[in-house]
Amino acid sequence: GAVVSQHPSWVICKSGTSVKIECRSLDFQATTMFWYRQFPKQSLMLMATSNEGSKATYEQGVEKDKFLINHASLTLSTLTVTSAHPEDSSFYICSAVAGGSYPGELFFGEGSRLTVL
Amino acid sequence: DAKTTQPPSMDCAEGRAANLPCNHSTISGNEYVYWYRQIHSQGPQYIIHGLKNNETNEMASLIITEDRKSSTLILPHATLRDTAVYYCIVRILFQGAQKLVFGQGTRLTINP
């Protein structure tokens, strides 16, 4: 099946720094990508929807200036956690749906674990 | 948005069929039922989806009631590797793309 790759798979950073996480669709073009975060023993929480070439749409309560999302091409979306703090430590997961695939599968990346010291 | 209700946890013996229920009583006519599972510290894995008819693939079977208010995911011969959190999700239309909103899921434990 289609593959969605996330990089890095894990990252440790100091408080106050910014971290960028990449989400790539390897063998299909993704017009839409979604970003989720997941805390231990909890479900995935949708953060934002990213459409290629346009601004991301954020879910209620998610700070758009804190979590910058860029979807510059049909195969790449990035999530930047700006001025990260320990409470931003979480498992971040992206997913992508291929253009024209409705109601096709939604493919998920393997996740990126962020630890902020 | 239609919401789903699942039991928080279930146990099943290895080799037996695992039947995971899901209620989605407010589902609308054009919404699909999707099932994903998540093994610890990995991204969710697609299992199966359906609209109104029962579906089967190499991983599982999906049984949807006639009124579409509930469904059951069946893993016919559960193995230890099927231990995971299983999410039943109703697909939501959003600006032409479909976002998935996850509930709490069912933590399935397969026992030897």
Side-chain angles (χ1 to χ4, degrees):
Chain A
V3 176
V4 175
S5 174
Q6 280 187 242
H7 178 80
S9 55
W10 60 271
V11 56
I12 301 172
C13 71
K14 293 182 178 180
S15 185
T17 61
S18 295
V19 175
K20 180 185 286 187
I21 300 170
E22 293 185 347
C23 177
R24 294 182 184 273
S25 55
L26 296 186
D27 50 4
F28 66 97
Q29 294 186 328
T31 55
T32 301
M33 289 184 173
F34 303 105
W35 286 96
Y36 295 83
R37 67 187 298 183
Q38 185 176 34
F39 293 108
K41 297 188 184 296
Q42 294 187 22
S43 184
L44 286 76
M45 184 193 79
L46 181 65
M47 298 174 68
T49 301
S50 165
N51 291 300
E52 186 267 335
S54 63
K55 290 184 178 180
T57 302
Y58 291 82
E59 295 297 302
Q60 192 172 11
V62 178
E63 301 174 59
K64 61 181 180 181
D65 295 329
K66 172 77 171 175
F67 300 98
L68 302 179
I69 293 173
N70 182 277
H71 193 161
S73 77
L74 287 172
T75 59
L76 174 64
S77 176
T78 61
L79 167 68
T80 301
V81 182
T82 62
S83 186
H85 288 93
E87 58 265 30
D88 298 323
S89 298
S90 187
F91 193 49
Y92 292 88
I93 304 168
C94 74
S95 64
V97 59
S101 68
Y102 178 84
E105 298 178 25
L106 192 66
F107 304 103
F108 285 85
E110 286 301 306
S112 299
R113 186 165 300 283
L114 170 63
T115 301
V116 184
L117 302 177
Chain B
D1 300 345
K3 296 192 187 315
T4 62
T5 304
Q6 299 176 252
S9 63
M10 291 183 64
D11 284 83
C12 179
E14 187 179 17
R16 304 295 293 271
N19 297 282
L20 290 87
C22 178
N23 287 320
H24 30 79
S25 58
T26 58
I27 192 171
S28 61
N30 61 350
E31 290 180 313
Y32 288 70
V33 180
Y34 277 75
W35 282 84
Y36 288 83
R37 72 181 183 183
Q38 187 179 27
I39 297 170
H40 181 64
S41 293
Q42 296 182 22
Q45 176 190 22
Y46 167 83
I47 301 174
I48 199 168
H49 74 279
L51 181 63
K52 57 176 75 173
N53 297 322
N54 297 338
E55 302 287 344
T56 295
N57 62 22
E58 63 278 5
M59 290 183 67
S61 294
L62 174 60
I63 309 298
I64 302 174
T65 58
E66 193 170 339
D67 63 8
R68 303 213 317 128
K69 292 184 177 183
S70 65
S71 61
T72 301
L73 177 74
I74 301 173
L75 308 178
H77 304 287
T79 70
L80 298 179
R81 288 178 295 179
D82 292 322
T83 293
V85 178
Y86 287 76
Y87 294 100
C88 166
I89 300 155
V90 172
R91 194 151 190 183
I92 303 162
L93 287 175
F94 176 71
Q95 296 180 354
Q98 302 84 41
K99 65 178 182 180
L100 296 185
V101 177
F102 286 77
Q104 294 305 306
T106 295
R107 186 172 298 275
L108 175 66
T109 301
I110 306 301
N111 299 308

